[in-house]
Amino acid sequence: MGETKNADYDVIVIGGGVVGCAVLRELSRYSLKLLLLEREADLAEGISKGNSGVIHAGFNVPAGSLKAKTNVAGLGMIYGLADELGVPHRKTGKLVVALADEDRRRLEELKAEGDKSGVPDLEIVDEAAIRRLEPLARGRWALYSPHTGIISPYEFTVALAECAGQNGAEVLLEAPVEAIVCRDGLFRLSTPKGTFATRRVVNSAGLFSDDVARLAGIDNYRVFPYRGEYLITDKDCGLRLDLPVYPVPPRDDPGLGIHITPTLEGNIILGPSAEPVDDKRDAASTREVMTQLKAEAIRLMPELSRVSFIHSYAGIRPKLV
């Protein structure tokens, strides 16, 4: 990167979610002085906490897109990396279920996109195979992705940061970036805990990455917050779900539909919904959406109608459109 005098750091990463911590760990393999700035009191307090914890294979996004490329590449890396870092995870497989024959064509479209992207071993299976793979699920046809899995997203995030810390990187919590000035080849980042000079900045601020970009004078980048609500069962609810079960994704909806996902601890999660919100911190749960989650999940898994739910929560995810 060349030499710049008076730099406190070679690179500062803004944001302590899974992306920021992964970037920090990768950079820590090199002889660089590194700092990660996180606005919250702990890592993984944003998007990296309020999600389904699913390791995606990459067939739900258009072939050739950056997201498809990174999904497939990440699938090839994640299990080995999780083993190396000691992060709880499990390769479960996943079913995308069609309740009616007319929805099979949509499954074939998803498989074709996945095949073009290089997603391994996708297969369309019939009703008998659905029952064999996941006895709780109901459907006429399904797309089976054998390499999908589940992971603890917050433990993964923390493990990435701890590994980077062992390599010499620094992490500073409760340090939101309030101003950015670029002068004499250096970025100066002002926080309540001091001002830090660096030669390079990586903006991994998630929901707030557009706010950080504006501090640096970049005004044409914007993210749109979408709230996703979840319901979660007791792990002793009497049902054991072995793999995630998704509906055929709707064409006119910003999400993938209400899906049903096991946790590593044995709970079952329903959700998420997908609702645009104005406030990036509006992680409320609503009675209306809780009713919707139950109704849609019971169509895929009727036995959920007899279990009780112990908690609801919500996460906010950023969309570019």
Side-chain angles (χ1 to χ4, degrees), residues 55-60 75 79 90-98 104 106-108 110-112 114-115 119-135 137 140-149 242-249:
I55 298 168
H56 286 289
F59 56 82
N60 266 319
L75 182 68
Y79 293 109
R90 186 167 78 245
K91 184 183 287 189
T92 57
K94 180 173 84 171
L95 290 169
V96 180
V97 175
R104 173 170 175 153
R106 181 73 174 119
L107 297 180
E108 292 171 344
L110 288 174
K111 182 179 183 300
D115 289 342
V119 179
D121 302 325
L122 295 174
E123 180 184 4
I124 293 179
V125 298
D126 61 13
E127 192 167 353
I130 293 172
R131 294 296 298 273
R132 185 177 69 253
L133 290 163
E134 179 43 69
R140 292 284 295 129
W141 302 97
L143 177 62
Y144 177 51
S145 170
H147 300 288
T148 298
D242 291 322
L243 50 73
V245 177
Y246 283 48
V248 174

Side-chain angles (χ1 to χ4, degrees), residues 68-97:
K69 293 173 182 176
T70 53
N71 272 185
V72 175
L75 182 68
M77 299 167 61
I78 184 67
Y79 293 109
L81 180 56
D83 283 335
E84 181 181 339
L85 295 174
V87 177
H89 67 286
R90 186 167 78 245
K91 184 183 287 189
T92 57
K94 180 173 84 171
L95 290 169
V96 180
V97 175

Side-chain angles (χ1 to χ4, degrees), residues 250-274:
R251 295 183 185 275
D252 57 349
D253 190 271
L256 298 178
I258 305 305
H259 47 265
I260 309 164
T261 307
T263 70
L264 291 162
E265 293 78 18
N267 312 83
I268 298 174
I269 296 174
L270 312 186
S273 55

Side-chain angles (χ1 to χ4, degrees), residues 200-220:
R200 296 288 186 272
V201 176
V202 178
N203 177 5
S204 296
L207 275 171
F208 301 93
S209 57
D210 54 347
D211 299 325
V212 169
R214 279 191 289 275
L215 292 177
I218 301 168
D219 297 320
N220 60 350

Side-chain angles (χ1 to χ4, degrees), residues 4-5 182-188:
T4 306
K5 294 181 180 179
C182 184
R183 188 171 59 247
D184 301 327
L186 290 178
F187 294 94
R188 289 175 173 82

Side-chain angles (χ1 to χ4, degrees), residues 105-314:
R105 182 172 180 179
R106 181 73 174 119
L107 297 180
E108 292 171 344
E109 292 173 356
L110 288 174
K111 182 179 183 300
E113 286 295 302
D115 289 342
K116 283 191 286 186
S117 295
V119 179
D121 302 325
L122 295 174
E123 180 184 4
I124 293 179
V125 298
D126 61 13
E127 192 167 353
I130 293 172
R131 294 296 298 273
R132 185 177 69 253
L133 290 163
E134 179 43 69
L136 293 176
R138 299 291 181 271
R140 292 284 295 129
W141 302 97
L143 177 62
Y144 177 51
S145 170
H147 300 288
T148 298
I150 56 176
I151 193 168
S152 173
Y154 27 88
E155 290 185 70
F156 183 46
T157 302
V158 171
L160 289 165
E162 287 179 341
C163 180
Q166 291 171 358
N167 290 341
E170 299 173 44
V171 173
L172 189 60
L173 303 174
E174 298 181 310
V177 175
E178 298 174 331
I180 299 175
V181 175
C182 184
R183 188 171 59 247
D184 301 327
L186 290 178
F187 294 94
R188 289 175 173 82
L189 279 56
S190 298
T191 79
K193 294 192 172 181
T195 298
F196 306 95
T198 180
R199 292 190 285 158
R200 296 288 186 272
V201 176
V202 178
N203 177 5
S204 296
L207 275 171
F208 301 93
S209 57
D210 54 347
D211 299 325
V212 169
R214 279 191 289 275
L215 292 177
I218 301 168
D219 297 320
N220 60 350
Y221 178 72
R222 185 181 177 193
V223 298
F224 300 88
Y226 270 71
R227 182 172 64 202
E229 299 182 42
Y230 290 91
L231 274 171
I232 186 166
T233 70
D234 191 337
K235 61 184 177 182
D236 298 321
C237 71
L239 299 179
R240 175 177 173 80
L241 181 66
D242 291 322
L243 50 73
V245 177
Y246 283 48
V248 174
R251 295 183 185 275
D252 57 349
D253 190 271
L256 298 178
I258 305 305
H259 47 265
I260 309 164
T261 307
T263 70
L264 291 162
E265 293 78 18
N267 312 83
I268 298 174
I269 296 174
L270 312 186
S273 55
E275 176 189 5
V277 292
D278 295 324
D279 184 352
K280 293 178 179 180
R281 294 184 176 274
D282 183 8
S285 297
T286 62
R287 185 179 299 276
E288 179 184 1
V289 172
M290 296 300 106
T291 301
Q292 174 195 358
L293 294 179
K294 291 178 186 177
E296 293 194 24
I298 287 168
R299 294 177 67 219
L300 294 174
M301 202 168 292
E303 291 190 56
L304 285 170
S305 61
R306 63 178 177 84
V307 306
S308 57
F309 296 87
I310 60 170
H311 191 53
S312 63
Y313 68 97

